[in-house]
Amino acid sequence: MSEHTMRAVTIREFGGPEVLTAERVARPEPLPTEVLVRVHAAGINPVDWKTRAGQGMAGLQTLPMILGWDVSGVVEEVGFGVTTLAPGDEVYGMPWFPRAAGAYAEFVTAPSRHFARKPASVGHVEAASLPLAALTAWQALVDTAGVKAGQRVLVHAAAGGVGHLTVQFARHLGAEVVATAREPRHAWLKELGADEVIDYTRQPFEDVTGDIDVVIDLIGTLDDTDARSVSVTRPGGLVVAIPGGVSERLATVAAQAGVRTSPFLVEPDATALHTIAGLVDSGAVRVEVERSFALEEAAEAHRLGETNRTRGKLVLTVN
């Protein structure tokens, strides 16, 4: 095959998993300050299948597009002006978000400072599981909430990709961690650092916990989870509304209770990725991979992801 083309999974229309098509497309070339990365693995996130279905970040995209934002691979070329990376460097990152990054492909290009050297202690599959989920957890806890030692942090959907990393980061920051998840995940979440785990299918979380300083809400309006979280949050505490931002109901209920709210959207952040890599390499944080798929199996991976029953992350292997 020509060195000017590459394998990729594209979508030409929004819809179900069947719109994901493996084909050959033009290989990108790095501009000044950019790097060309040979992708070894690409993480899959809920925003991927939501965008594919015409939701999520779909309104920001132009079709046809290549999905995916999580990348782990090796620098193949560097553009003029790049001084922080060199060909042969193993890197991971979440380039361009929320613009299309094209991670479901053999190569991606992006500014060099959208990447950091991947954790040395894990392979590309594990590293590709980290960027979007880990940056979401880290930025929400550190930059948005400013979590401090001794605070109580409630993490909804704690067994998911973002959730299980949020639990670990909160624990690392010295917080007391309360998590919601189905009962089969409880022992695992306690291993990761959760002090208390609530099975939300058996009892309302607000009946068994309270005095929360920070809620990291990864569910949103489903079952009124965001507004119900206000009742367990201390006056002056904070609900970080991640999936869809601050709903009108959440804003009203929170204002009445004296609870703060904040919308959230993750950003590329090489500095945080460097810190996260250090935590992974030190053993303080680990990433869970439910299953990996070949690039051409992207549709099957999306079908599994949309069940919302996975533990940790799903990953596409590219090379």
Side-chain angles (χ1 to χ4, degrees):
M1 293 294 182
S2 168
E3 65 178 11
H4 300 297
T5 65
M6 65 177 183
R7 290 184 301 135
V9 172
T10 65
I11 60 171
R12 296 185 176 277
E13 61 180 341
F14 297 120
E18 68 278 359
V19 303
L20 294 162
T21 304
E23 57 185 283
R24 294 201 73 84
V25 301
R27 184 179 120 169
E29 297 294 334
L31 297 174
T33 76
E34 292 185 349
V35 292
L36 174 71
V37 175
R38 180 183 291 272
V39 180
H40 284 237
I44 299 174
N45 297 284
V47 69
D48 295 16
W49 58 77
K50 290 176 182 178
T51 301
R52 184 215 71 223
Q55 305 163 5
M57 297 299 159
L60 301 178
Q61 314 307 329
T62 300
L63 296 178
M65 70 170 292
I66 302 170
L67 275 174
W69 284 275
D70 275 343
V71 173
S72 183
V74 177
V75 176
E76 185 89 354
E77 298 177 21
V78 300
F80 175 80
V82 173
T83 59
T84 57
L85 296 172
D89 286 343
E90 293 188 318
V91 296
Y92 77 135
M94 185 198 69
W96 295 118
F97 191 85
R99 293 171 52 190
Y104 294 9
E106 289 185 295
F107 294 93
V108 298
T109 54
S112 63
R113 294 176 189 268
H114 284 192
F115 295 97
R117 287 176 175 81
K118 82 169 186 62
S121 60
V122 299
H124 287 291
V125 168
E126 291 81 7
S129 302
L130 283 165
L132 192 147
L135 286 175
T136 297
W138 186 262
Q139 291 173 4
L141 290 167
V142 176
D143 301 330
T144 302
V147 168
K148 298 178 176 59
Q151 290 186 317
R152 281 171 56 82
V153 174
L154 171 61
V155 183
H156 287 307
V162 177
H164 84 290
L165 293 165
T166 305
V167 167
Q168 295 176 81
F169 290 151
R171 184 69 171 182
H172 170 74
L173 294 168
E176 182 180 347
V177 183
V178 181
T180 65
R182 291 173 178 265
E183 192 279 331
R185 311 298 195 205
H186 287 199
W188 172 61
L189 286 168
K190 288 182 178 179
E191 288 178 11
L192 297 182
D195 298 284
E196 177 185 349
V197 189
I198 302 165
D199 186 342
Y200 63 91
T201 68
R202 295 184 177 180
Q203 56 191 157
F205 63 85
E206 61 268 35
D207 288 352
V208 291
T209 194
D211 294 325
I212 300 296
D213 294 289
V214 175
V215 178
I216 303 298
D217 177 22
L218 300 167
I219 297 178
T221 58
L222 181 66
D223 294 329
D224 216 20
T225 298
D226 56 350
R228 289 164 53 209
S229 296
V230 172
S231 67
V232 303
T233 305
R234 293 170 177 166
L238 175 67
V239 176
V240 183
I242 292 179
V246 179
S247 68
E248 183 176 346
R249 174 162 167 72
L250 171 58
T252 300
V253 172
Q256 292 171 345
V259 169
R260 296 175 295 131
T261 62
S262 177
F264 178 88
L265 188 63
V266 67
E267 302 176 60
D269 187 345
T271 300
L273 285 174
H274 176 76
T275 300
I276 291 163
L279 291 173
V280 172
D281 285 339
S282 72
V285 171
R286 69 177 192 260
V287 63
E288 182 81 7
V289 178
E290 169 92 358
R291 184 176 167 188
S292 62
F293 298 80
L295 180 64
E296 290 77 9
E297 297 174 319
E300 182 182 350
H302 274 225
R303 291 188 185 96
L304 177 58
E306 287 180 300
T307 67
N308 292 317
R309 292 292 180 264
T310 57
R311 171 170 142 167
K313 295 293 297 290
L314 303 174
V315 182
L316 298 177
T317 56
V318 182
N319 289 297

